[in-house]
Amino acid sequence: MMVESKMNLKDEFVEKVEKNTRVWASRRMFEMLMEGERYVEDNWLESGLPNLVDRIVESYEEYGGVNRSEGEDLPSKQAVIGILEDLLTVIYPGYFGEANVNKSNIKYFVGSMLSSIYSRLVNEVEKSLKYLSRIFGVGSEETCRRRARMVVKEFLERIPEIRALLSGDIQAAYEGDPAAKSTDEVILSYPCVLAIATYRIAHELWIRGVPLIPRIMTEYAHSKTGIDIHPGAKIGKNFFIDHGTGVVIGETTDIGDNVKIYQGVTLGALSFPRDERGKIMKGLKRHPTVGNNVVIYSGATILGGETVIGDGAVIGGNAWITSSIPSGTKVIVAPPELYYKNSNQSEGLSTNSNC
């Protein structure tokens, strides 16, 4: 009688669920739900948990993935993101961060922020350089420490130049988007501001040979904006990414001045050359070069290290390009043939009107 009662309950439950909510695989879900009657043994924390801990620790030895082991620290992702956010506050005071900044306290604010950023960033860069030192088996801890201080000093002294570049990027966004009502709106709301500002910060560390940290920064911006800019890319003045979602700019991409690209654009690699052992060869020019005053519309894909888009070219939406385009050229994808059908007509072909 108990089994029959459970079967009736199951059928009644499934019928109700399927009728009212259309839950996927409701019968299987019901069976899994009723498996909750099999309780975990009361002493699992005492008997089962130690075995699980041993298995997990063994996996660290077998597969790696432990950040801090035997004093060999890697940079902290959370610390790097915090430093990046403070740098953005210095670059855009009053726009990023929560501090109340005005003319009377601006010098104290900037000095205090830079002092904090310096010490924290030196610590993270030092850990990154020690990581590199371990890989190559050269360089002492003292060498890494001195290099870290030099790199951070040089980087911080570049902030005025970074701000000048970003000012041009903001103006390009304001002038290039008819929907933009002010530069304030651009800074506060446009995702490209965070993505490009983070890229320009990370690029300065990248060109000084700092590992790990530039990628942490740009991938953080990628996760926030959907815009993926590798810190190794070279990007000129007055750069604007309109809308932005899905944009990919690869490591060896070169972009000139006054370039505007739209959402979904990929500046990527055409292929990955391999060495005699079959491994991908790194460090080669794999991504395209884009000249000055180029516009690339949404969904366009431009691939290959030998592909050059000439000055003043316009690349239409959804174009697929794997060879160079001369200066001043417009590339337009031919309109597809569209089929229209309504309930009163047989299926027909039309490309010129809405039937």
Side-chain angles (χ1 to χ4, degrees):
M1 290 294 294
M2 181 65 71
V3 174
E4 183 179 350
S5 175
K6 283 190 174 182
M7 290 300 296
N8 291 337
L9 176 63
K10 173 182 176 181
D11 291 339
E12 182 179 330
F13 172 84
V14 169
E15 181 180 356
K16 181 179 180 181
V17 168
E18 289 182 341
K19 181 178 179 181
N20 296 331
T21 63
R22 299 183 179 180
V23 173
W24 172 80
S26 53
R27 289 182 182 276
R28 176 59 182 148
M29 292 176 70
F30 179 85
E31 293 169 358
M32 294 173 72
L33 173 65
M34 298 308 293
E35 288 177 0
E37 295 180 354
R38 300 204 306 265
Y39 295 106
V40 175
E41 60 270 22
D42 292 336
N43 65 341
W44 181 83
L45 283 176
E46 290 76 26
S47 62
L49 182 59
N51 292 331
L52 174 60
V53 170
D54 289 341
R55 289 171 54 208
I56 292 175
V57 172
E58 287 173 4
S59 77
Y60 295 152
E61 296 295 329
E62 184 174 359
Y63 303 112
V66 182
N67 189 341
R68 292 167 173 80
S69 176
E70 300 179 358
E72 295 181 351
D73 286 359
L74 294 173
S76 163
K77 182 175 181 179
Q78 290 73 21
V80 169
I81 292 171
I83 292 167
L84 171 63
E85 290 176 342
D86 284 351
L87 283 165
L88 291 169
T89 302
V90 171
I91 289 171
Y92 292 115
Y95 292 96
F96 285 76
E98 299 179 0
N100 182 17
V101 183
N102 53 56
K103 289 184 177 180
S104 65
N105 67 5
I106 189 68
K107 282 192 174 183
Y108 172 80
F109 169 78
V110 172
S112 175
M113 290 292 290
L114 289 181
S115 177
S116 172
I117 290 168
Y118 175 81
S119 59
R120 289 149 55 209
L121 187 54
V122 164
N123 186 45
E124 299 306 319
V125 171
E126 182 181 342
K127 288 189 285 187
S128 298
L129 295 177
K130 287 179 179 177
Y131 161 80
L132 203 62
S133 176
R134 290 194 300 272
I135 291 177
F136 291 111
V138 296
S140 65
E141 289 193 4
E142 182 61 26
T143 298
C144 294
R145 190 172 297 114
R146 290 180 178 179
R147 177 61 184 164
R149 290 197 292 263
M150 180 183 297
V151 164
V152 175
K153 168 186 169 293
E154 290 178 355
F155 163 71
L156 293 180
E157 289 177 344
R158 285 284 299 167
I159 287 179
E161 287 74 22
I162 293 173
R163 293 197 76 248
L165 285 169
L166 291 172
S167 177
D169 299 332
I170 298 299
Q171 195 63 30
Y174 174 66
E175 294 177 358
D177 184 3
K181 301 300 186 290
S182 66
T183 55
D184 292 330
E185 179 184 58
V186 170
I187 298 171
L188 287 170
S189 64
Y190 279 36
C192 67
V193 172
L194 174 59
I196 297 172
T198 300
Y199 154 76
R200 295 208 184 276
I201 290 169
H203 181 71
E204 292 293 332
L205 295 171
W206 176 272
I207 62 177
R208 287 168 173 79
V210 177
L212 302 176
I213 291 174
R215 291 302 303 275
I216 293 173
M217 289 180 170
T218 55
E219 290 302 330
Y220 170 73
H222 181 196
S223 71
K224 289 289 186 180
T225 66
I227 300 171
D228 182 3
I229 310 177
H230 194 286
K234 298 176 182 177
I235 301 177
K237 298 181 293 185
N238 308 326
F239 181 53
F240 177 35
I241 303 174
D242 202 354
H243 304 294
T245 307
V247 166
V248 177
I249 300 175
E251 175 188 9
T252 61
T253 303
D254 287 280
I255 298 176
D257 298 335
N258 309 310
V259 170
K260 178 179 181 181
I261 66 178
Y262 286 80
Q263 69 274 14
V265 167
T266 295
L267 304 178
L270 179 60
S271 61
F272 301 103
R274 297 179 182 272
D275 60 22
E276 62 277 1
R277 295 174 296 175
K279 293 187 176 182
I280 292 175
M281 298 174 64
K282 300 186 178 183
L284 303 177
K285 169 72 169 165
R286 308 182 307 279
H287 305 92
T289 296
V290 177
N292 301 320
N293 306 304
V294 171
V295 179
I296 307 174
Y297 284 96
S298 62
T301 299
I302 305 173
L303 306 177
E306 297 182 0
T307 302
V308 178
I309 307 301
D311 293 349
V314 176
I315 309 300
N318 299 317
W320 180 276
I321 295 175
T322 59
S323 58
S324 295
I325 303 298
S327 297
T329 302
K330 291 185 178 181
V331 178
I332 302 172
V333 176
E337 293 185 336
L338 304 178
Y339 288 86
Y340 300 89
K341 182 180 180 181
N342 60 38
S343 58
N344 299 320
Q345 293 179 328
S346 59
E347 186 170 318
L349 171 65
S350 175
T351 60
N352 298 318
S353 63
N354 293 325
C355 299

Short mmCIF file of all heavy atoms in Angstrom, two decimals, residues 251-253 271-274 280-287 305:
data_model
loop_
_atom_site.label_atom_id
_atom_site.label_comp_id
_atom_site.label_asym_id
_atom_site.label_seq_id
_atom_site.Cartn_x
_atom_site.Cartn_y
_atom_site.Cartn_z
N GLU A 251 46.26 40.44 -29.16
CA GLU A 251 47.52 40.89 -28.57
C GLU A 251 48.40 41.69 -29.52
O GLU A 251 49.01 42.69 -29.12
CB GLU A 251 48.31 39.66 -28.08
CG GLU A 251 49.68 39.98 -27.54
CD GLU A 251 50.49 38.73 -27.24
OE1 GLU A 251 50.05 37.62 -27.59
OE2 GLU A 251 51.58 38.87 -26.64
N THR A 252 48.52 41.28 -30.79
CA THR A 252 49.46 41.93 -31.71
C THR A 252 48.75 42.86 -32.69
O THR A 252 49.30 43.20 -33.72
CB THR A 252 50.28 40.87 -32.46
OG1 THR A 252 49.40 40.03 -33.24
CG2 THR A 252 51.07 40.01 -31.50
N THR A 253 47.54 43.27 -32.35
CA THR A 253 46.81 44.23 -33.17
C THR A 253 47.48 45.60 -33.10
O THR A 253 47.91 46.04 -32.03
CB THR A 253 45.36 44.35 -32.70
OG1 THR A 253 44.75 43.07 -32.72
CG2 THR A 253 44.57 45.31 -33.57
N SER A 271 45.35 32.18 -38.14
CA SER A 271 45.80 30.83 -37.85
C SER A 271 46.91 30.91 -36.83
O SER A 271 47.45 31.98 -36.54
CB SER A 271 46.31 30.12 -39.12
OG SER A 271 47.42 30.82 -39.65
N PHE A 272 47.29 29.76 -36.27
CA PHE A 272 48.34 29.72 -35.27
C PHE A 272 49.47 28.86 -35.77
O PHE A 272 49.38 27.62 -35.76
CB PHE A 272 47.78 29.16 -33.95
CG PHE A 272 46.65 29.97 -33.39
CD1 PHE A 272 45.34 29.53 -33.51
CD2 PHE A 272 46.88 31.18 -32.75
CE1 PHE A 272 44.29 30.26 -32.99
CE2 PHE A 272 45.85 31.92 -32.23
CZ PHE A 272 44.54 31.47 -32.35
N PRO A 273 50.58 29.45 -36.24
CA PRO A 273 51.73 28.65 -36.70
C PRO A 273 52.26 27.77 -35.57
O PRO A 273 52.26 28.17 -34.40
CB PRO A 273 52.75 29.72 -37.10
CG PRO A 273 51.98 30.98 -37.28
CD PRO A 273 50.82 30.90 -36.35
N ARG A 274 52.71 26.57 -35.94
CA ARG A 274 53.23 25.63 -34.94
C ARG A 274 54.68 25.28 -35.25
O ARG A 274 55.10 25.30 -36.41
CB ARG A 274 52.37 24.36 -34.91
CG ARG A 274 50.92 24.64 -34.49
CD ARG A 274 50.06 23.39 -34.49
NE ARG A 274 48.69 23.70 -34.12
CZ ARG A 274 48.23 23.72 -32.88
NH1 ARG A 274 49.06 23.43 -31.87
NH2 ARG A 274 46.97 24.02 -32.62
N ILE A 280 51.98 25.64 -30.54
CA ILE A 280 51.72 26.97 -31.09
C ILE A 280 52.92 27.88 -30.84
O ILE A 280 53.43 27.96 -29.72
CB ILE A 280 50.45 27.57 -30.47
CG1 ILE A 280 49.21 26.78 -30.92
CG2 ILE A 280 50.31 29.04 -30.83
CD1 ILE A 280 47.93 27.24 -30.26
N MET A 281 53.36 28.57 -31.89
CA MET A 281 54.47 29.52 -31.77
C MET A 281 53.93 30.86 -31.28
O MET A 281 53.02 31.44 -31.88
CB MET A 281 55.16 29.68 -33.13
CG MET A 281 55.78 28.39 -33.65
SD MET A 281 56.44 28.54 -35.33
CE MET A 281 57.75 29.73 -35.06
N LYS A 282 54.48 31.34 -30.17
CA LYS A 282 54.00 32.58 -29.58
C LYS A 282 54.97 33.72 -29.86
O LYS A 282 56.13 33.51 -30.15
CB LYS A 282 53.80 32.38 -28.07
CG LYS A 282 52.78 31.29 -27.76
CD LYS A 282 52.47 31.18 -26.29
CE LYS A 282 51.41 30.12 -26.04
NZ LYS A 282 51.00 30.02 -24.63
N GLY A 283 54.45 34.95 -29.77
CA GLY A 283 55.29 36.12 -29.97
C GLY A 283 55.32 36.62 -31.40
O GLY A 283 55.98 37.63 -31.68
N LEU A 284 54.62 35.94 -32.30
CA LEU A 284 54.59 36.39 -33.70
C LEU A 284 53.45 37.38 -33.92
O LEU A 284 52.51 37.45 -33.14
CB LEU A 284 54.41 35.19 -34.63
CG LEU A 284 55.46 34.06 -34.53
CD1 LEU A 284 55.09 32.92 -35.47
CD2 LEU A 284 56.85 34.60 -34.85
N LYS A 285 53.52 38.14 -34.99
CA LYS A 285 52.45 39.05 -35.38
C LYS A 285 51.30 38.22 -35.94
O LYS A 285 51.40 37.64 -37.00
CB LYS A 285 52.98 40.06 -36.40
CG LYS A 285 51.93 40.92 -37.10
CD LYS A 285 51.33 41.97 -36.20
CE LYS A 285 50.50 42.97 -37.02
NZ LYS A 285 49.61 43.79 -36.19
N ARG A 286 50.19 38.15 -35.20
CA ARG A 286 49.06 37.29 -35.57
C ARG A 286 47.80 38.06 -35.91
O ARG A 286 46.88 37.51 -36.49
CB ARG A 286 48.73 36.32 -34.42
CG ARG A 286 49.90 35.54 -33.90
CD ARG A 286 49.49 34.57 -32.80
NE ARG A 286 48.77 35.18 -31.71
CZ ARG A 286 49.33 35.85 -30.71
NH1 ARG A 286 50.65 36.03 -30.68
NH2 ARG A 286 48.61 36.36 -29.74
N HIS A 287 47.76 39.33 -35.51
CA HIS A 287 46.53 40.10 -35.63
C HIS A 287 46.71 41.27 -36.61
O HIS A 287 47.83 41.67 -36.90
CB HIS A 287 46.12 40.62 -34.24
CG HIS A 287 45.99 39.52 -33.22
ND1 HIS A 287 47.04 39.13 -32.41
CD2 HIS A 287 44.94 38.72 -32.91
CE1 HIS A 287 46.63 38.14 -31.63
NE2 HIS A 287 45.37 37.87 -31.91
N GLY A 305 47.87 38.38 -39.24
CA GLY A 305 48.95 39.31 -38.97
C GLY A 305 49.43 40.07 -40.19
O GLY A 305 50.07 41.12 -40.07
#
